[in-house]
Amino acid sequence: MAKVDAPAVEERQKGILGWIEKTGNKLPDPVIIFAYLIGILIVVSVITDWMGVSVEHPVRVNEDGSPVVEPARMLFRSELIEHLLVRMPTIFTSFHPLGYVLVVMLGAGVAERAGLFGTAMRAAVRNAPRFLLTPAVALVAMLANLAADAAYVVLIPLAGVIYAAAGRHPIAGITAAFAGVSGGFSANLFPGQLDALLFGITEAAVGSLVTDWVMNIAGNWYFIAVMTIFYLPVIWFVTDGIIEKRLGKWTGGAVAGSSDADDDPDAPLTAGQKKGLAHAGLAVLAVVFLWLFLTVDLVELVSFGAVSVWGGNPPLLNPDPALEVTQQLIPFFTSLVAGFLILFLAAGVAYGMAAGTIKTHRDTVEMMAGGMKDMGYYLVLAFAAAYFVEMFNLSNLGIISAVNGANAIQQSGLPLPIVLGLIVLFAGVLNLFVGSASAKWAFMAPILVPMLMLLGISPEMATAAYRVGDSATNIITPLMVYFPLVLVFARRWVPDFGIGSLTAAMLPYSIWLLITGIIMTIAWVYLGLPLGPGAEVGYTLPGAN
């Protein structure tokens, strides 16, 4: 890929987009933002402690039955300073998202480096009919979120080549793929790494209110699957009905100065790649069957209860008959983090051994280590976020803000579906300035999740609303880490394509995705549809009438 200089200042979009770019570029790294937030938190804790601010805890009670009063606590207290310094390693390692994400990435790193993700994406879109090219690219792009970085690096430039080979404008292919990968970042037919990351943060936020809530990685499964179905025609309509008409007819040919074999959509998959995909598919089926076997006693089922392989109950099923089915399946839900590790690892190794990208067990270990190397920045960010969340909880400002915020919303008379819609909009605006999904959720969740729980909205629904807003505006902010890379991909085809050009091309996607997401969120709350297995829109505090 040819080196492309940064776009000149005069190329940049003026007006509101220019202001967003200039303002956003002045913001520090999210790690430093957390450092500033910790400083602000310390000052606020001193002021609120001095003012005697407090609230009655909505759940916890004293021995005499009176509600526990939670006062604001100054973080300069001796016992709090001792806690923060003595327990520093524990605060970091016990940060809920950390373990979930690292476990999943051990397997995903192998699947990506072995070539499984890239080959699977090529195979999925290369033979799509011209008329169905856009929905095929959009669907694969949203599903490719499971592949993380590989979706940006492989699918987006490949979409440009495929569109050009089909006689269509390559920029339209790039924008469609970018809209699916990044604008539909939370949409997917299956839970994945993002679910583990966000629900880990949600679990930490819930802890300030109740302690018995268990993270369910499939808690948004139905929601994100429906989001995928709704976003697909939106991306199709915007690409074919708006962007491609605006771009005009493409007459520049099918290749943009690259001789990479993987960029040629007409190049057939090698025999090794085909064999690798077949072996990976068998590995996926084997892991799915294994998890089914660990959850349902198939022998007992077939023999009508005459035999039990497990001598009682399967490992991933709670045997208590008094519990509802969804509660009996809690061990299954919480095991899905380990399930994704084994799924990605098995599929990646099966592909690599068949395709020749993995020759010995040492290759597998190196790929797992490579996946961990890519998480270096996340570890730094997680340390800062873990300390902010811990200090926020110690100060009691989280529960105070949640109770007062819930009371304010109740007094405003706003319907809860509208409140969720406004939260989607707020997350979308904030995303223009802070690109990291985990960073934003880490400092929004401690207030937002308990506040909505007090209003009868579940942590799963709060997480779903945030996800809609977070993804829709990814594609119009230059602060998004892959935005410059997509710009380089576009300039391979149109050399004078500037940052304003890319932003203007992606703006219709962002607007329509945001509108669709807000309507979907509001309708979901009104209808009270389940968000995933065992995850409802509503929530009742323990002990509440």
Side-chain angles (χ1 to χ4, degrees):
M1 184 182 298
K3 181 179 179 181
V4 181
D5 294 333
V9 175
E10 58 268 18
E11 290 180 341
R12 295 177 178 173
Q13 188 86 359
K14 296 181 179 180
I16 184 65
L17 294 176
W19 177 82
I20 290 172
E21 179 191 352
K22 293 175 184 177
T23 304
N25 286 338
K26 293 178 182 178
L27 289 175
D29 186 273
V31 174
I32 305 303
I33 290 178
F34 273 115
Y36 289 153
L37 288 173
I38 289 174
I40 294 171
L41 178 62
I42 292 173
V43 173
V44 174
S45 73
V46 172
I47 295 174
T48 52
D49 189 318
W50 175 75
M51 294 176 61
V53 176
S54 65
V55 296
E56 293 184 353
H57 199 285
V59 176
R60 298 170 189 165
V61 295
N62 297 305
E63 292 182 359
D64 61 0
S66 61
V68 171
V69 175
E70 298 284 6
R73 296 200 294 176
M74 178 177 64
L75 289 171
F76 282 130
R77 292 173 183 266
S78 175
E79 67 273 15
L80 298 187
I81 293 176
E82 178 188 3
H83 174 87
L84 291 170
L85 295 180
V86 172
R87 292 180 55 82
M88 180 178 288
T90 305
I91 291 171
F92 178 40
T93 57
S94 62
F95 187 50
H96 292 285
L98 185 62
Y100 298 147
V101 174
L102 293 182
V103 166
V104 174
M105 283 305 299
L106 279 172
V110 175
E112 179 178 353
R113 284 163 175 76
L116 170 60
F117 287 150
T119 302
M121 284 185 280
R122 283 186 60 211
V125 301
R126 61 185 299 273
N127 293 320
R130 189 178 187 276
F131 172 70
L132 296 178
L133 192 54
T134 299
V137 166
L139 179 60
V140 173
M142 286 186 280
L143 297 180
N145 290 328
L146 295 174
D149 295 352
Y152 291 95
V153 177
V154 175
L155 182 60
I156 293 178
L158 181 62
V161 177
I162 291 173
Y163 267 64
R168 301 179 62 177
H169 205 295
I171 300 298
I174 289 173
T175 58
F178 189 25
V181 171
S182 194
F185 186 60
S186 286
N188 212 300
L189 295 180
F190 308 98
Q193 303 167 47
L194 182 63
D195 296 82
L197 173 64
L198 295 183
F199 274 116
I201 297 172
T202 301
E203 185 176 23
V206 171
S208 66
L209 196 58
V210 297
T211 58
D212 60 348
W213 188 83
V214 179
M215 189 274 286
N216 173 9
I217 195 176
N220 280 168
W221 191 351
Y222 304 158
F223 186 87
I224 63 176
V226 174
M227 191 190 307
T228 304
I229 296 171
F230 280 10
Y231 278 6
L232 185 61
V234 171
I235 296 174
W236 191 356
F237 162 73
V238 173
T239 302
D240 293 4
I242 299 176
I243 301 303
E244 200 160 17
K245 289 182 178 179
R246 181 173 176 269
L247 291 169
K249 186 177 180 181
W250 175 249
T251 58
V255 181
S258 173
S259 59
D260 296 341
D262 286 345
D263 278 350
D264 183 2
D266 295 322
L269 297 180
T270 65
Q273 289 173 330
K274 292 179 180 179
K275 184 179 179 182
L277 288 178
H279 284 208
L282 293 175
V284 169
L285 291 177
V287 174
V288 171
F289 179 81
L290 172 63
W291 244 249
L292 180 64
F293 179 68
L294 293 173
T295 308
V296 180
D297 195 333
L298 298 180
V299 174
E300 183 178 13
L301 183 65
V302 172
S303 59
F304 302 101
V307 181
S308 176
V309 171
W310 303 111
N313 66 282
L316 300 182
L317 186 69
N318 191 317
D320 189 349
L323 297 176
E324 296 180 358
V325 174
T326 54
Q327 292 176 310
Q328 290 180 331
L329 287 173
I330 285 178
F332 166 77
F333 296 143
T334 53
S335 76
L336 288 178
V337 173
F340 277 108
L341 161 64
I342 297 174
L343 182 73
F344 287 138
L345 184 61
V349 170
Y351 173 87
M353 293 181 66
T357 55
I358 294 179
K359 296 180 173 59
T360 70
H361 68 278
R362 299 183 189 279
D363 294 332
T364 302
V365 175
E366 288 180 4
M367 291 175 182
M368 296 176 76
M372 291 298 99
K373 290 178 183 178
D374 289 346
M375 299 303 293
Y377 173 77
Y378 174 73
L379 293 176
V380 178
L381 178 62
F383 180 81
Y387 245 75
F388 171 76
V389 171
E390 183 73 10
M391 295 175 72
F392 200 72
N393 289 334
L394 289 174
S395 70
N396 280 338
L397 291 178
I399 186 64
I400 290 172
S401 302
V403 171
N404 290 329
N407 291 336
I409 292 175
Q410 286 178 330
Q411 293 173 5
S412 71
L414 281 175
L416 286 180
I418 301 301
V419 172
L420 269 295
L422 292 175
I423 289 172
V424 171
L425 188 60
F426 175 73
V429 173
L430 184 61
N431 190 45
L432 295 173
F433 303 97
V434 183
S436 170
S438 57
K440 288 192 301 296
W441 191 227
F443 58 73
M444 287 176 63
I447 295 176
L448 190 62
V449 172
M451 181 185 75
L452 291 175
M453 290 171 68
L454 292 172
L455 294 170
I457 296 295
S458 69
E460 291 90 351
M461 188 66 241
T463 307
Y466 166 75
R467 297 175 71 161
V468 174
D470 169 69
S471 62
T473 53
N474 274 337
I475 50 181
I476 59 172
T477 172
L479 298 179
M480 195 267 177
V481 292
Y482 286 105
F483 194 94
L485 179 64
V486 176
L487 182 62
V488 171
F489 291 152
R491 285 186 144 200
R492 292 173 58 187
W493 301 94
V494 182
D496 61 349
F497 203 78
I499 193 170
S501 304
L502 182 57
T503 304
M506 301 312 300
L507 187 59
Y509 292 104
S510 186
I511 292 173
W512 280 103
L513 290 175
L514 189 60
I515 291 173
T516 303
I518 290 175
I519 294 173
M520 176 181 161
T521 302
I522 292 174
W524 205 282
V525 179
Y526 266 120
L527 297 174
L529 302 174
L531 294 150
E536 303 295 332
V537 168
Y539 179 83
T540 302
L541 288 172
N545 294 326

